C-alpha cells in the first residue's frame, strides 16, 4: 500500500519536471525556433534593465526587418550583471542594455562585456558617448535639469546645480530619495567635476534646503512644485515630456506650469544620464547582436526611440521630436561616463553621510 | 544532548522523513547560501554600512513592521470576531470583502494611493476644480512612515483576519458559548476568552504580515522610507557590493529566526488543547440596531478603502490608457501567470504537506528548526533570495554539464537555470511558509488521535495520510493553496530575474510601467492580477460553503 503511493507520487513529480523542462524550451521563445537560441541561427538574446514599451517595439521592428528573433530577460541592471557573472562562459546573454553610465561601467568592470567592433556603430554614435574601448555605446540620454515654478521663479534666478545650496532656496528645493539611480549618478558626476569634499558640502547644502523629506518619483517633484510645496526640483526632462502627453488633464496642467532650466550652461554643462548597450563577453550570437546594436543606433532606430520615450538620441543625425526641439540646444557635461561607475559607490556613501534620505 | 537510540531511529525513519529530509536540504540551500554570507570577513564597505545605515534603517524597519503588525492585529482580530460572533447588516458581504485586499499587491496600492492623493490626483483635483477648495498639502501626504503603515495595514490585515476567522468559526464555539452562559460581558469575553484562545492563529497571521513588511522594497522605496531592505539595495545597487548585500540579508534572516525562537519560547507553556471532536459552529448573536449600523458602516469604510476605491481608481486609469497598453500579448501573459502559479502552488502544497507531516510524526528539534528554516524564504527580499537560488541552480547545471553533453544538448549548456524549473523552485522556497503554516494549523486542529487510531487499526503512515488525514485537513490545504496562489500571482522580484527568455507575467508587466512612474499604464495589468485574485477568493468562499453543507 505504502509503496504504491510513494511510487505514484514520484511518478507525478517526474511528470511535472518533464513538463516544466519542456516548457522551458517550447514556451520560452517567441517563435517555435527553440534550437536557434542555442545554435546561434537567427536569434539574439538580450538581458535588459530598460523596461520601456518603445524598446520592445524596436525589437519587433528589428525582427520584421531581419528575421532575427529577439529574446529578452528583464531585471534590475545589477541583478542581470550578477547573473551574467555567475553564468560565466555558459551564459546565454548576447547583449546587455541598461539605464545609467555607472552601471554600464560596473558591467564592464565585472568582466561581462567585450569590445564592440563595428565601423557602422562607430559612425552612428560619437566617441564621447562610447566607452573608451567600446565596451558599451550609449543609446539615449536624459538631461537631469532644474524644474521651477513658472509663477514664482524666473529663469534668471537659476544658474547651476551648485547654486541650489544658496540661502535663498532654503525650504524650497525638492528631490527624490538617494536610493534613486539618477541622483547617485548626478552626485557621481559632481564628484568627478568638483571633488569629493565639495560635493559632500553640496549634498549637505541641498539637504538643508529641502522643503520636505525626499519622497515619490521624479513626477511627484513636479507635482509638489505646482502644489506649492517647493519652488525648484531636480528631475529628468523626459518625465516632463511624458506628463505633457498624459491622459490625465491634471498632469498636463502640472507639466504646463513648470519651466525647465538647463543648469551649468556657463560652467560644466548639464548632467546627462545615459542608457547604453554592451556586447556580452560570451555572446554566442555575436553577429546578430552587432546587427541589433547597429539598428538601435541607426538614424531610424534612434528616431523611433526618441519619439517614444522623449529621451535624447545619441545619433546626431536623428531628428528630434518637436517637444525636444523646443527645449533648444544646451551644453552637456563633458565627462568620461565610465568615471560615474567609479564614483557611484562614493556617491552613495556621501549621500548617506549628508543624510539625504 | 538528547540522541535518538538506533532502534528508535529505525522505527521512526520512514519514507516520509527521508523524502522530506532530502527536500528540506535542497530547499534550504539558497537560504543557507545567504546565511553563509555572515561567515566571511566583512569588506571595506562594511564600516560605512554599519555607521550610516545599519542601525537607523533597522530601527525604521522595526517601526514600520511593528506599527503594521499592531494595526493589522487590531483590525484583523476585531473584524474576525465581529463577523463570526455577531450578526449585523451586510455581514455576509463584508466577511467576504475583507479577504479581497489580498488580491492587490501592496506596491500597486502604494502607487495608486500615492497618485490618487497627490496634487494631480482625483481627490485633490475634485476639491480644487469642482468645489474650489485650496487644500493644505500636508493633509494629503501619504508618502511617509504613517502612510506606509496605513497602506500595509489596509492591504495585509486580511492575513490576520482570515486565519483568525477560520479558527474562531471552527473551534471557539464551546468556549465562547460557555463564557456567554456564565454571563461574561462581551468585551471581557473578547479579552479573556477570544484573544488567549486564538493567539496561535493571530501570531500565525501577524508573522506573515511582519515578513511581508520586512521584505518589501516597492512601497518603502516609493514613499522614501529607509528600511533594512533599502540598506540591502543601496549596498547592492549603489555600492555594487553584492557580498555585503548578502551579508545584510543574512543578518535580517537570523534576526527573524531569532524572533521565531523567542516566540516559541514565550508561548511554550501557553498551549491550549482544543477539543478534537467536530465542534458546532458558533451561534451568532444579533447586534442591536445602532451597534449593527455602526459595525456595518465601519466595515464598509474598511472594505471601500482596502479594495473598492483603489480598484475603481485603477479602472478609470485603465480606460484612459486602454488604447496604448492593451494588445494580444496580454492573453499570453495571463496564460503564463496562471500556468506557472498553478504548477508552483500544486508542488508547494505537496512539499508543505510532507513537511508538516514529517514534522508532526518525527518531533524533534531538528525537524522543528528545518521546518522553520524552510519558511525563511518568506522573510528576505526576493531579489536577494533570487541570487541564492541562482547560485544553487548554476552549480547544479555546472555539475550536470557532462550529462547535458551526453544528451546531445551541447557543451557548456545551462538547462535548469534557463528553464521554468528555477522559477518554480524559487516560488516554492519563497512561499512555502504560507502553505506550511496553513497545513500545520490544520494538523494542529485535528490532533493526533485520528492518525493514531488509524495506525493501530493497521494502516501504514501513507495510507493513513491519504485515507484519514487528507480528508480531515482538506480545508487547511485549500486555504494554504489559495493564499500561496494569491502570492505567486503578485510576486515580482523573483519572477523578474529568474524567468526564462520572454516569459512575461502580469506582475512583471505592471512593474514595467510602475517602475517608470507610468502608474496609469500599469492599471490594466494590475486589474487583471486583481481579477485573478478575486476569482480565486470567490472560489475559496464557494468551496468553503459547499464543504460545510
Amino acid at each position: 500500500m505504502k509503496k504504491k503511493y510513494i511510487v505514484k507520487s514520484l511518478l507525478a513529480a517526474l511528470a511535472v519536471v518533464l513538463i516544466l523542462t519542456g516548457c522551458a524550451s517550447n514556451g520560452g521563445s517567441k517563435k517555435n525556433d527553440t534550437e536557434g537560441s542555442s545554435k546561434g541561427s537567427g536569434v539574439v538574446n538580450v538581458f535588459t534593465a530598460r523596461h520601456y514599451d518603445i524598446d520592445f517595439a524596436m525589437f519587433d521592428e528589428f525582427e520584421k526587418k531581419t528575421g532575427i528573433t529577439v529574446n529578452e530577460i528583464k531585471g534590475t541592471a545589477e541583478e542581470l550583471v550578477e547573473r551574467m557573472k555567475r553564468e560565466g562562459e555558459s551564459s546565454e546573454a548576447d547583449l546587455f542594455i541598461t539605464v545609467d553610465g555607472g552601471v554600464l561601467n560596473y558591467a564592464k568592470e565585472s568582466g561581462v562585456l567585450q569590445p564592440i567592433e563595428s565601423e557602422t556603430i562607430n559612425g552612428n554614435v560619437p566617441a564621447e558617448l562610447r566607452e573608451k574601448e567600446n565596451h558599451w555605446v550609449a543609446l539615449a540620454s536624459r538631461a537631469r535639469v532644474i524644474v521651477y515654478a513658472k509663477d514664482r521663479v524666473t529663469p534668471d534666478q537659476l544658474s547651476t546645480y551648485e547654486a541650489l545650496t544658496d540661502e535663498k532656496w532654503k525650504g524650497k528645493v525638492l528631490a527624490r530619495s538617494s536610493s534613486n539611480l539618477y541622483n547617485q549618478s548626478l552626485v557621481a558626476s559632481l564628484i568627478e567635476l568638483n571633488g569629493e569634499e565639495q560635493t559632500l558640502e553640496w549634498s549637505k547644502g541641498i539637504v538643508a534646503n529641502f522643503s520636505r523629506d525626499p519622497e515619490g518619483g521624479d513626477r511627484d517633484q513636479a507635482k509638489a512644485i505646482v502644489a506649492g510645496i517647493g519652488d525648484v526640483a531636480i528631475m529628468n526632462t523626459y518625465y516632463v515630456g511624458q506628463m505633457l502627453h498624459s491622459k490625465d488633464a491634471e498632469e498636463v496642467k502640472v507639466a504646463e506650469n513648470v519651466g525647465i532650466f538647463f543648469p551649468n550652461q556657463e560652467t560644466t554643462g548639464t548632467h546627462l544620464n545615459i542608457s547604453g548597450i554592451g556586447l556580452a563577453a560570451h555572446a554566442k550570437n555575436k553577429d546578430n547582436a552587432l546587427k541589433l546594436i547597429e539598428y538601435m543606433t541607426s538614424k531610424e532606430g534612434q528616431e523611433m526611440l526618441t519619439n517614444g520615450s522623449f529621451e535624447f538620441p545619441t545619433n546626431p543625425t536623428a531628428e528630434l521630436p518637436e517637444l525636444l526641439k523646443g527645449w533648444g540646444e544646451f551644453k552637456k557635461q563633458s565627462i568620461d561616463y565610465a568615471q560615474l561607475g567609479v564614483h557611484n559607490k562614493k556617491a552613495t556613501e556621501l549621500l548617506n553621510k549628508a543624510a539625504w534620505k | 544532548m538528547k540522541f535518538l537510540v538506533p532502534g528508535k531511529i529505525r522505527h521512526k525513519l520512514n519514507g516520509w522523513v527521508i523524502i522530506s529530509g532530502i527536500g528540506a536540504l535542497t530547499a534550504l540551500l539558497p537560504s543557507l547560501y545567504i546565511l553563509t554570507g555572515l561567515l566571511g570577513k566583512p569588506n571595506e564597505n562594511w564600516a560605512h554600512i554599519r555607521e550610516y545605515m545599519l542601525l537607523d534603517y533597522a530601527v525604521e524597519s522595526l517601526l514600520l513592521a511593528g506599527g503594521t503588525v499592531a494595526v493589522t492585529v487590531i483590525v484583523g482580530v476585531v473584524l474576525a470576531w465581529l463577523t463570526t460572533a455577531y450578526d449585523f447588516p451586510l455581514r455576509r458581504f463584508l466577511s467576504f470583502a475583507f479577504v479581497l485586499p489580498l488580491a492587490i499587491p501592496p506596491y500597486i496600492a502604494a502607487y495608486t494611493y500615492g497618485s490618487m492623493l497627490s496634487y494631480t490626483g482625483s481627490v485633490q483635483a475634485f476639491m480644487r476644480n469642482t468645489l474650489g477648495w485650496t487644500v493644505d498639502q500636508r493633509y494629503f501626504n501619504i508618502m511617509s512612515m504613517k502612510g506606509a503603515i496605513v497602506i500595509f495595514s489596509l492591504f495585509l490585515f486580511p492575513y490576520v483576519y482570515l486565519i483568525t476567522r477560520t479558527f474562531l468559526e471552527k473551534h471557539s464555539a464551546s468556549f465562547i458559548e460557555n463564557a456567554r452562559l456564565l454571563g461574561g460581558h462581551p468585551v471581557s469575553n473578547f479579552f479573556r476568552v477570544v484573544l488567549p484562545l486564538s493567539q496561535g492563529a493571530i501570531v500565525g497571521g501577524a508573522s506573515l504580515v511582519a515578513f511581508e513588511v520586512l521584505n518589501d522594497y516597492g512601497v518603502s522605496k516609493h514613499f522614501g522610507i529607509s528600511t533594512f531592505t533599502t540598506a540591502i539595495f543601496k549596498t547592492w545597487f549603489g555600492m555594487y557590493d553584492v557580498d555585503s548585500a548578502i551579508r545584510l540579508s543574512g543578518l535580517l534572516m537570523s534576526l527573524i529566526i531569532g524572533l521565531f525562537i523567542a516566540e516559541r519560547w514565550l508561548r511554550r507553556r501557553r498551549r491550549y488543547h482544543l477539543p478534537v471532536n467536530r465542534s458546532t459552529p458558533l451561534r451568532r448573536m444579533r447586534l442591536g440596531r445602532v451597534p449593527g449600523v455602526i459595525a456595518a458602516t465601519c466595515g464598509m469604510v474598511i472594505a471601500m478603502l482596502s479594495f473598492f476605491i483603489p480598484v475603481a481608481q485603477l479602472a478609470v486609469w485603465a480606460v484612459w490608457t486602454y488604447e496604448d497598453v492593451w494588445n494580444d500579448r496580454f492573453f499570453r501573459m495571463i496564460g503564463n501567470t496562471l500556468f506557472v502559479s498553478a504548477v508552483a502552488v500544486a508542488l508547494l502544497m505537496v512539499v508543505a504537506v510532507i513537511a508538516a507531516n514529517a514534522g508532526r510524526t518525527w518531533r524533534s528539534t531538528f525537524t522543528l528548526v528545518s521546518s522553520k528554516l524552510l519558511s525563511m524564504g518568506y522573510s528576505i527580499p526576493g531579489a536577494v533570495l533570487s541570487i541564492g537560488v541562482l547560485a544553487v541552480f548554476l552549480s547544479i547545471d555546472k555539475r550536470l554539464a557532462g550529462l547535458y553533453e551526453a544528451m546531445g544538448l551541447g557543451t557548456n549548456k545551462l538547462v535548469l537555470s534557463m528553464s521554468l524549473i528555477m522559477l518554480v523552485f524559487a516560488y516554492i522556497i519563497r512561499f512555502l511558509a504560507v502553505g506550511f503554516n496553513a497545513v500545520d494549523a490544520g494538523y494542529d486542529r485535528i490532533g493526533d488521535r485520528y492518525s493514531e487510531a488509524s495506525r493501530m487499526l493497521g494502516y501504514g503512515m501513507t495510507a493513513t495520510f491519504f485515507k484519514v488525514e487528507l480528508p480531515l485537513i482538506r480545508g487547511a490545504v485549500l486555504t494554504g493553496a489559495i493564499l500561496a496562489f494569491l502570492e505567486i500571482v503578485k510576486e515580482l522580484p523573483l519572477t523578474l530575474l529568474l524567468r526564462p527568455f520572454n516569459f512575461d507575467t502580469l506582475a512583471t508587466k505592471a512593474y514595467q510601467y510602475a517602475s517608470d512612474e507610468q502608474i496609469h499604464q500599469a492599471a490594466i495589468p494590475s486589474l487583471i492580477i486583481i481579477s485573478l485574485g478575486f476569482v480565486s477568493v470567490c472560489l475559496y468562499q464557494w468551496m468553503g460553503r459547499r464543504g460545510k453543507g
Side-chain angles (χ1 to χ4, degrees):
Chain A
M1 185 70 105
K2 182 166 136 190
K3 282 223 176 83
K4 212 171 75 194
Y5 281 118
I6 291 180
V7 168
K8 265 192 203 161
S9 335
L10 284 178
L11 280 178
L14 191 68
V16 170
V17 169
L18 287 177
I19 292 172
L20 285 178
T21 25
C23 287
S25 43
N26 282 322
S29 48
K30 282 180 196 167
K31 289 160 195 165
N32 285 332
D33 176 17
T34 55
E35 290 310 299
S37 68
S38 53
K39 303 227 169 86
S41 61
V43 297
V44 54
N45 297 329
V46 180
F47 278 30
T48 177
R50 271 174 60 103
H51 311 287
Y52 311 132
D53 277 344
I54 187 65
D55 288 28
F56 306 120
M58 284 174 81
F59 295 160
D60 284 347
E61 199 56 35
F62 176 73
E63 280 186 28
K64 253 185 247 160
K65 279 198 153 55
T66 59
I68 299 170
T69 309
V70 182
N71 294 318
E72 20 90 13
I73 283 187
K74 294 172 212 150
T76 316
E78 292 81 357
E79 289 175 341
L80 292 171
V81 170
E82 192 62 24
R83 179 162 179 177
M84 288 163 78
K85 216 157 82 177
R86 284 167 190 261
E87 287 174 347
E89 281 178 33
S90 326
S91 179
E92 300 270 345
D94 296 317
L95 289 171
F96 171 69
I97 302 181
T98 185
V99 180
D100 191 61
V103 183
L104 285 163
N105 191 64
Y106 168 62
K108 185 206 139 194
E109 293 293 312
S110 308
V112 300
L113 301 180
Q114 59 171 308
I116 298 165
E117 285 157 16
S118 155
E119 281 315 308
T120 319
I121 296 167
N122 290 350
N124 284 345
V125 182
E128 70 264 24
L129 290 169
R130 286 184 271 124
E131 196 264 341
K132 263 184 248 141
E133 293 147 24
N134 260 11
H135 277 89
W136 49 261
V137 298
L139 287 176
S141 67
R142 301 133 184 214
R144 197 144 183 85
V145 296
I146 299 174
V147 165
Y148 58 92
K150 274 185 182 164
D151 56 342
R152 277 162 282 152
V153 178
T154 53
D156 57 312
Q157 290 171 284
L158 295 162
S159 58
T160 58
Y161 298 113
E162 288 84 348
L164 286 180
T165 58
D166 195 287
E167 190 64 28
K168 73 176 172 191
W169 299 115
K170 194 151 198 78
K172 290 178 178 164
V173 178
L174 291 154
R176 69 197 289 186
S177 111
S178 69
S179 55
N180 172 257
L181 197 64
Y182 304 136
N183 283 341
Q184 291 170 8
S185 171
L186 170 65
V187 173
S189 78
L190 294 177
I191 293 177
E192 169 74 6
L193 292 166
N194 303 337
E196 241 177 86
E197 235 166 86
Q198 242 184 302
T199 310
L200 177 60
E201 285 315 305
W202 177 80
S203 311
K204 284 181 178 163
I206 293 286
V207 172
N209 279 352
F210 273 154
S211 61
R212 65 171 183 198
D213 278 344
E215 61 175 47
D218 271 9
R219 288 172 188 236
D220 294 300
Q221 313 311 322
K223 291 181 190 174
I225 288 182
V226 178
I229 295 171
D231 287 351
V232 287
I234 301 172
M235 65 179 278
N236 282 359
T237 45
Y238 90 129
Y239 289 113
V240 179
Q242 286 180 357
M243 285 173 92
L244 276 172
H245 286 77
S246 171
K247 295 271 153 76
D248 182 352
E250 290 295 315
E251 284 201 345
V252 179
K253 257 193 248 168
V254 164
E256 283 167 349
N257 280 313
V258 296
I260 289 178
F261 182 82
F262 288 90
N264 296 44
Q265 291 305 297
E266 313 285 306
T267 59
T268 48
T270 300
H271 173 65
L272 287 188
N273 200 278
I274 56 172
S275 289
I277 187 164
L279 183 60
H282 306 287
K284 295 184 173 115
N285 307 297
K286 197 170 163 182
D287 291 344
N288 294 346
L290 289 176
K291 274 186 209 153
L292 182 56
I293 307 179
E294 281 166 12
Y295 171 73
M296 289 182 87
T297 53
S298 69
K299 180 172 188 287
E300 186 199 342
Q302 288 277 298
E303 280 171 4
M304 187 168 172
L305 185 71
T306 181
N307 279 299
S309 68
F310 303 111
E311 292 169 291
F312 294 100
T314 53
N315 184 334
T317 61
E319 182 126 357
L320 291 178
E322 286 307 313
L323 177 74
L324 300 195
K325 268 191 209 157
W327 289 339
E329 283 287 307
F330 65 95
K331 182 178 171 189
K332 299 162 183 131
Q333 249 177 13
S334 75
I335 51 167
D336 179 3
Y337 285 94
Q339 285 302 313
L340 298 186
V342 179
H343 295 314
N344 209 74
K345 187 186 133 197
K346 271 272 156 291
T348 308
E349 292 182 0
L350 202 144
L351 286 161
N352 281 336
K353 281 185 197 164
W356 185 321
K357 275 209 173 179
Chain B
M1 283 262 231
K2 218 170 42 180
F3 284 103
L4 294 163
V5 289
K8 219 171 170 188
I9 287 180
R10 210 176 309 126
H11 170 68
K12 296 259 183 172
L13 215 60
N14 54 43
W16 287 91
V17 175
I18 294 171
I19 292 180
S20 52
I22 295 171
L25 271 179
T26 332
L28 282 179
L29 284 175
S31 305
L32 289 177
Y33 178 84
I34 288 160
L35 278 179
T36 53
L38 288 173
L39 299 177
K41 225 178 123 210
N43 60 19
E44 76 280 1
N45 293 333
W46 193 251
H48 175 85
I49 295 168
R50 221 177 37 202
E51 186 174 351
Y52 292 101
M53 298 200 264
L54 206 53
L55 191 64
D56 294 352
Y57 288 24
V59 167
E60 293 254 297
S61 253
L62 285 179
L63 266 178
L64 185 62
T68 309
V69 165
V71 179
T72 47
V73 164
I74 293 170
V75 175
V77 173
V78 168
L79 292 180
W81 172 237
L82 210 57
T83 49
T84 30
Y86 296 98
D87 209 2
F88 53 90
L90 294 174
R91 184 195 65 80
R92 278 177 68 120
F93 166 75
L94 286 174
S95 66
F96 165 69
F98 292 149
V99 188
L100 294 177
L102 282 184
I104 305 181
Y107 81 97
I108 293 288
Y111 274 100
T112 308
Y113 267 111
S115 190
M116 246 174 90
L117 295 175
S118 76
Y119 180 75
T120 58
S122 42
V123 177
Q124 288 202 44
F126 174 75
M127 293 176 130
R128 191 168 53 239
N129 300 337
T130 313
L131 306 176
W133 297 350
T134 37
V135 291
D136 190 331
Q137 292 303 315
R138 274 173 305 174
Y139 299 127
F140 290 87
N141 188 6
I142 192 168
M143 295 194 194
S144 59
M145 174 63 91
K146 279 184 214 145
I149 294 178
V150 169
I151 290 288
F152 276 126
S153 302
L154 277 177
F155 295 89
L156 297 177
F157 85 85
Y159 281 118
V160 179
Y161 163 77
L162 193 64
I163 297 176
T164 312
R165 192 191 73 182
T166 315
F167 174 83
L168 287 175
E169 265 176 356
K170 299 223 165 93
H171 305 283
S172 65
S174 53
F175 293 94
I176 289 159
E177 266 153 26
N178 279 329
R180 278 176 181 169
L181 275 177
L182 292 170
H185 186 269
V187 175
S188 94
N189 283 352
F190 177 76
F191 283 105
R192 296 176 60 185
V193 181
V194 178
L195 276 188
L197 197 61
S198 44
Q199 58 167 312
I202 297 172
V203 169
S207 62
L208 291 183
V209 171
F211 284 169
E212 285 272 336
V213 176
L214 286 175
N215 73 41
D216 162 81
Y217 186 47
V219 178
S220 45
K221 188 182 177 199
H222 189 57
F223 283 10
I225 301 167
S226 305
T227 62
F228 203 88
T229 317
T230 319
I232 294 175
F233 286 105
K234 266 195 180 173
T235 309
W236 187 0
F237 299 167
M239 298 162 81
Y240 305 132
D241 184 354
V242 188
D243 295 331
S244 296
I246 291 179
R247 194 183 185 77
L248 280 169
S249 314
L251 217 58
L252 179 63
M253 215 160 157
S254 35
L255 182 88
I256 287 168
I257 299 175
L259 280 178
F260 258 134
I261 296 172
E263 186 266 330
R264 278 262 157 185
W265 189 76
L266 283 173
R267 290 202 307 134
R268 72 197 182 284
R269 284 180 210 288
R270 291 207 214 140
R271 300 197 134 241
Y272 287 82
H273 293 280
L274 303 169
V276 281
N277 55 330
R278 193 164 286 212
S279 49
T280 45
L282 183 62
R283 207 169 41 82
R284 291 201 182 84
M285 284 175 45
R286 233 199 127 69
L287 278 182
R289 177 174 293 226
V290 176
V293 169
I294 293 174
T297 315
C298 292
M300 265 323 269
V301 170
I302 291 174
M304 293 305 281
L305 287 175
S306 65
F307 189 77
F308 295 100
I309 290 176
V311 168
Q313 177 67 75
L314 284 170
V316 172
W317 291 337
V319 172
W320 285 354
T321 54
Y322 176 78
E323 274 172 31
D324 298 340
V325 173
W326 177 264
N327 58 46
D328 291 345
R329 288 192 190 172
F330 271 95
F331 292 112
R332 253 185 71 109
M333 283 179 229
I334 296 172
N336 284 345
T337 308
L338 283 177
F339 174 75
V340 75
S341 314
V343 172
V345 166
L347 291 175
L348 185 150
M349 289 320 292
V350 172
V351 178
V353 167
I354 292 176
N357 199 0
R360 200 172 66 109
T361 31
W362 201 41
R363 285 204 179 98
S364 74
T365 319
F366 173 73
T367 41
L368 179 72
V369 170
S370 48
S371 71
K372 285 301 159 197
L373 273 175
L374 278 177
S375 311
M376 276 301 95
Y378 202 48
S379 65
I380 44 172
V384 177
L385 181 66
S386 69
I387 287 299
V389 171
L390 198 62
V392 171
F393 270 76
L394 287 174
S395 85
I396 297 177
D397 261 349
K398 286 201 173 125
R399 242 146 255 188
L400 293 180
L403 179 71
Y404 297 153
E405 220 174 317
M407 285 164 75
L409 293 167
T411 50
N412 248 336
K413 280 293 290 179
L414 299 173
V415 176
L416 287 178
S417 63
M418 277 290 156
S419 72
L420 266 183
I421 293 182
M422 180 159 72
L423 182 58
V424 168
F425 178 82
Y427 282 151
I428 294 175
I429 294 186
R430 178 143 189 80
F431 298 118
L432 193 57
V434 179
F436 179 82
N437 282 0
V439 177
D440 204 37
Y443 267 126
D444 256 5
R445 229 172 278 153
I446 60 170
D448 288 342
R449 59 162 87 155
Y450 293 108
S451 319
E452 278 162 7
S454 159
R455 296 292 302 276
M456 274 207 303
L457 292 170
Y459 272 158
M461 257 195 84
T462 314
T464 301
F465 169 74
F466 281 102
K467 303 231 147 139
V468 179
E469 295 168 2
L470 192 58
L472 283 170
I473 58 165
R474 208 185 52 190
V477 172
L478 195 68
T479 311
I482 297 272
L483 287 177
F485 179 81
L486 283 168
E487 287 289 348
I488 294 175
V489 167
K490 312 183 277 197
E491 204 287 329
L492 187 68
L494 293 175
T495 322
L496 208 54
L497 187 69
L498 299 180
R499 65 198 154 149
F501 279 126
N502 309 324
F503 191 85
D504 270 315
T505 67
L506 293 163
T508 62
K509 192 72 185 168
Y511 168 77
Q512 180 202 317
Y513 292 119
S515 68
D516 194 37
E517 304 184 23
Q518 305 190 34
I519 182 66
H520 301 165
Q521 279 80 351
I524 289 182
S526 305
L527 275 179
I528 305 177
I529 296 177
I530 295 169
S531 327
L532 291 181
F534 180 80
V535 170
S536 55
V537 169
C538 291
L539 205 68
Y540 169 68
Q541 294 285 110
W542 177 71
M543 282 166 125
R545 204 162 298 149
R546 216 181 47 152
K548 263 183 222 159

